[in-house]
Amino acid sequence: MNAGTPSGRIPAASALRRSRPDRHLCVVSHRLPVTYTPDLGWERSPGGLVSALDPALRDRPALWFGHANADDPDPPPGRGKTQYRVLRLGRERSVRAIDGACNRSLWPALHGIVERIEQDDSWWAAYADLAATNARHIATVAPSGSIVWVHDYHHILLADELRRRRPDLRLGFFFHTPVDAAGLAELHIADRLATALGRYHVVGTQTPGDADEVAQFVESHGGDLPPTLRSIPVGFDVARWSEFRNDPVVDALARRHGAPGGLLAVGVDRADYTKGLPTKLVAIERLLDDGRLHPDEFRLVQIATRTRAGIGAYDEMLAEIRRSAARVNEAHRRSDGEPVVRLITEPHPPREVAALMRASDMALVTPIRDGMNLVAFEYAALNADRPTALVLGQGAG
Ligand code: G6P
């Protein structure tokens, strides 16, 4: 694992600093660092991508392009040296290209969870149209000679149109997810994806194994290998998470979690089927049922932030873990009245996550497959001054 260097440098950020500093930077991802909901307005976006990029952009002026729905209000103009640029998404495209092609086809394919792949040719048509529209927009705005740094599966096809319209741009693509060649081979537009990947100047992945998977996929589907293809793992903001150790607000919040009695374990995940949450709860249930764990000795607070609502697999998983937690809490009661398993599905700001982690004795990071699990790094940095346990599954990246 690469947890960044002790000085707090971030590998992806360092790679960027070494790139030509005179070139303007354009970042493209599905979400901007802020996401709109009618209840909360513009709030920090979920997921590891935004956490990973935030610190990397601190020192350098950049434009950040990301999707927003057609009827969302305009986002804030930007933050620090980064200006936000919206790529508008109509309802139809959002359903077909994002919920469909991205989340129901590409997401399980990249994670190698083949049995979850669903496909529809109208989703792929919408996915390609969206790439063409976005590329036109970026091509009109990107300053001459910019580096365009594209993130994740939502935008793989951008290279086609951008190369044609703007040969002056340097194009990079980064996979925050794992990559699975066999999963991608299942997709109806596998050849087109492989060709597009070959049109980037640089393709980066989290692990060397993921880079091998990209090479295998591209070569077996008629694409050219990109000139640079290698693992450039993301890191996290070491300094920020270390500073939380001396933050009085974090301390005060942490005291609220520290009920007496046994070990407190934490889990911090998006409620995604790749995160292995049902299995984690089954494991805890078995230990309790077998009597190897006593409810007064152990409790788990699991943040399982609700995500991708309206997609069957996500709603089912959330319902399953809710049932599982209720079953455990019903069968195994603690003498202090606290539930053994507490599920939190609302988004949690970083300070509150830090407080929960500071109050805990261990973290359970047990995804089925992750690109690079940043929570594991954050937990280690935050608790470097006291004994804690980090239980790390093999799928953590
Ligand atoms: C991961 C992916 C991102 C994605 C995020 C949240 O970090 O790599 O591309 O944005 O999850 O997923 P969502 O579908 O809610 O944007």
Side-chain angles (χ1 to χ4, degrees):
M1 283 200 329
N2 189 336
T5 61
S7 66
R9 295 280 293 264
I10 293 134
S14 317
L16 190 63
R17 274 187 212 106
R18 283 196 298 273
S19 69
R20 294 256 311 269
D22 52 323
R23 285 184 187 269
H24 204 98
L25 180 66
C26 298
V27 170
V28 191
S29 64
H30 169 45
R31 292 186 188 273
L32 286 167
V34 286
T35 299
Y36 181 77
T37 54
D39 292 345
L40 301 172
W42 290 98
E43 284 276 303
R44 189 184 162 81
S45 303
L49 185 157
V50 167
S51 314
L53 288 200
D54 236 5
L57 293 179
R58 215 164 271 159
D59 309 339
R60 185 168 180 154
L63 297 177
W64 187 325
F65 296 84
H67 291 137
N69 294 320
D71 48 3
D72 290 348
D74 285 336
R79 185 164 156 233
K81 295 186 174 170
T82 306
Q83 291 175 41
Y84 302 157
R85 292 282 180 275
V86 177
L87 303 168
R88 291 280 170 190
L89 258 179
R91 169 92 194 121
E92 181 95 338
R93 276 197 180 161
S94 176
V95 169
R96 293 186 181 194
I98 304 297
D99 297 350
C102 294
N103 291 342
R104 299 166 95 135
S105 312
L106 275 156
W107 178 261
L110 286 161
H111 287 78
I113 308 179
V114 175
E115 64 279 12
R116 292 226 186 240
I117 299 175
E118 301 168 67
Q119 301 191 63
D120 186 309
D121 285 336
S122 73
W123 299 352
W124 290 125
Y127 179 77
D129 285 349
L130 181 62
T133 310
N134 287 342
R136 280 198 293 278
H137 181 130
I138 295 164
T140 12
V141 179
S144 169
S146 307
I147 296 173
V148 180
W149 193 17
V150 181
H151 294 266
D152 263 348
Y153 48 96
H154 310 86
H155 295 294
I156 296 175
L157 298 183
L158 274 186
D160 287 340
E161 190 89 2
L162 280 181
R163 270 289 197 116
R164 210 168 50 74
R165 288 179 178 260
R166 290 287 305 273
D168 60 304
L169 301 176
R170 294 283 300 169
L171 303 182
F173 185 89
F174 188 77
F175 280 108
H176 290 259
T177 60
V179 182
D180 188 278
L184 289 174
E186 294 288 319
L187 303 178
H188 298 167
I189 62 157
D191 290 358
R192 193 154 174 204
L193 294 170
T195 307
L197 283 170
R199 296 209 167 121
Y200 288 93
H201 298 99
V202 179
V203 172
T205 61
Q206 300 279 22
T207 69
D210 293 325
D212 292 346
E213 295 283 322
V214 174
Q216 192 188 324
F217 170 67
V218 168
E219 285 187 318
S220 58
H221 287 83
D224 295 323
L225 281 184
T228 303
L229 166 61
R230 66 184 180 96
S231 126
I232 322 167
V234 297
F236 73 114
D237 195 344
V238 183
R240 179 177 190 216
W241 283 84
S242 311
E243 275 160 22
F244 281 149
R245 285 207 287 265
N246 304 314
D247 183 325
V249 179
V250 170
D251 261 4
L253 289 168
R255 277 196 290 278
R256 287 200 327 222
H257 290 291
L263 296 172
L264 171 60
V266 291
V268 181
D269 299 281
R270 288 186 308 111
D272 194 300
Y273 55 79
T274 57
K275 303 290 185 182
L277 298 177
T279 326
K280 188 189 281 188
L281 296 190
V282 166
I284 290 168
E285 186 171 21
R286 282 213 190 136
L287 290 171
L288 289 159
D289 286 351
D290 294 355
R292 278 183 284 170
L293 207 56
H294 189 276
D296 279 341
E297 288 169 352
F298 178 88
R299 67 199 170 95
L300 168 71
V301 177
Q302 174 69 52
I303 298 183
T305 316
R306 228 190 126 79
T307 183
R308 302 181 185 177
I311 298 184
Y314 287 77
D315 297 341
E316 282 156 26
M317 195 215 69
L318 208 52
E320 184 183 344
I321 59 172
R322 282 201 172 112
R323 280 196 301 273
S324 201
R327 205 169 52 233
V328 169
N329 292 335
E330 184 59 38
H332 303 280
R333 293 185 183 256
R334 287 170 54 95
S335 47
D336 62 6
E338 289 282 329
V340 178
V341 176
R342 199 169 130 222
L343 281 182
I344 301 173
T345 56
E346 301 82 42
H348 251 46
R351 258 211 178 82
E352 287 188 23
V353 173
L356 179 59
M357 289 175 166
R358 281 300 276 177
S360 73
D361 302 288
M362 66 171 80
L364 305 181
V365 180
T366 54
I368 296 174
R369 208 161 165 195
D370 247 350
M372 188 61 70
N373 189 294
L374 297 185
V375 171
F377 293 157
E378 291 159 359
Y379 192 79
L382 182 67
N383 290 307
D385 59 337
R386 63 190 195 101
T388 47
L390 175 60
V391 179
L392 199 56
Q394 284 182 338

